[in-house]
Amino acid sequence: MNHQKQPLKPGLYFVATPIGTARDITLRALDTLANADVLAAEDTRSLRRLMEIHGVPLNGRQIIAYHDHSGLGARSKLLSMLEEGKSVAYASEAGTPLIADPGYHLSVEAAAAGYLVTSAPGPSAIITALSLAGLPTDAFFFAGFLPNAKGARRTGLETVKAVPGTLVFYESPKRLSEMLKDAALVLGEGRQAAVCRELTKKFEEVRRGTLSELAEAYQGANVKGEIVVLIERQTAEDNDEADIEQALEKALKTMSVRDASEAVSQAFGVNKRKIYALALGKKGK
């Protein structure tokens, strides 16, 4: 395939790569990889293989490794190349850079130094899973990977329990069963959820049900592949009346009755009229 031959402006280009199927890469991403002065990657072998599949020549360019363990040295090297006026394309191993992948500090330092920082957007396991899970997508919260230890994992779940949006987690296949059991315990057995596995790949699978049902389904199962777990937001039935009243009292200190009612009803997923009546009662005291 002939890729668009157009010199890139000096700067840092984040390149999203497929999360499974190689053909999911965008034409702009391929053009960026073909024309960048410098190539960097979380996994150099993965990027090299992707470029081979799509016929993007290296033309003598080296691929610089930049990952969680490469440290300050690799970042300094890339920043010095930006200082020389070169275009640097950075690709994560799979998906969009900086989304549970390296690149954050490189992005921050490049932007702070005044260099162009832009992106060739593309695949993301988070967005793909949201489109398949059958859960609300109007608001969501990406919590990344939960801690390994049971106590810390439960604390992490408790922290996001009342987030007013669909919860999205990445999870290891080895920990999936325990994570679902802890989620059912902390968040509630009846919460709707989905387990999305091997997205865009040959053995793609999406299983939906309550947390209790999914925990039982994956108990003792031999699970493989990349996994995204999605859990619905806290419903009105899950809410503690004391929590709602506390949030409303706090909101009324700085907001009108109408605005406070709107904010609290959205945050807790509770009928606005019910909150408005409660707010009027508190305001009249």
Side-chain angles (χ1 to χ4, degrees), residues 34-257:
N35 291 291
D37 297 321
V38 179
L39 297 172
E42 178 186 7
D43 186 314
T44 59
R45 290 172 298 180
S46 294
L47 181 58
R48 191 181 298 272
R49 175 59 181 153
L50 184 65
M51 292 173 67
E52 288 175 356
I53 289 172
H54 291 289
V56 180
L58 278 173
N59 291 332
R61 293 173 297 173
Q62 174 191 7
I63 302 179
I64 299 171
Y66 182 75
H67 45 72
D68 285 333
H69 307 292
S70 57
L72 181 61
R75 186 160 67 250
S76 297
K77 185 175 183 179
L78 294 174
L79 289 169
S80 68
M81 291 178 172
L82 290 173
E83 188 176 357
E84 293 170 8
K86 294 182 178 180
S87 56
V88 177
Y90 174 73
S92 57
E93 183 177 0
T96 301
L98 278 70
I99 308 301
D101 279 322
Y104 171 73
H105 294 293
L106 177 61
S107 174
V108 169
E109 292 191 28
Y115 302 120
L116 168 70
V117 178
T118 187
S119 173
S124 166
I126 301 167
I127 303 303
T128 304
L130 280 165
S131 69
L132 298 178
L135 296 173
T137 57
D138 58 320
F140 63 90
F141 181 80
F142 175 55
F145 285 93
L146 287 166
N148 295 338
K150 182 181 291 290
R153 182 167 57 239
R154 290 180 178 179
T155 298
L157 287 164
E158 190 68 49
T159 301
V160 298
K161 182 177 181 178
V163 169
T166 296
L167 303 176
V168 185
F169 303 90
Y170 285 166
E171 192 49 271
S172 158
K174 294 181 179 179
R175 296 195 302 265
L176 177 62
S177 177
E178 292 301 312
M179 181 268 187
L180 290 170
K181 286 193 292 186
D182 285 340
L185 176 68
V186 175
L187 304 180
E189 295 184 350
R191 277 215 205 187
Q192 291 295 316
V195 175
C196 301
R197 187 177 67 84
E198 291 291 86
L199 292 172
T200 79
K201 301 176 185 176
K202 181 178 180 180
F203 297 105
E204 177 180 281
E205 176 187 55
V206 179
R207 298 185 70 168
R208 306 173 184 87
T210 65
L211 282 172
S212 177
E213 291 168 344
L214 291 172
E216 183 177 352
Y218 283 101
Q219 176 67 39
N222 182 22
V223 185
K224 296 180 180 180
E226 304 288 333
I227 294 170
V228 185
V229 177
L230 304 96
I231 303 171
E232 72 168 340
R233 74 189 68 185
Q234 188 176 54
T235 61
E237 290 75 19
D238 297 326
N239 291 318
D240 187 306
E241 290 295 329
D243 291 338
I244 293 176
E245 290 199 21
Q246 184 179 15
L248 187 57
E249 287 174 359
K250 184 176 180 180
L252 286 169
K253 291 179 180 178
T254 57
M255 301 181 188
S256 66
V257 169

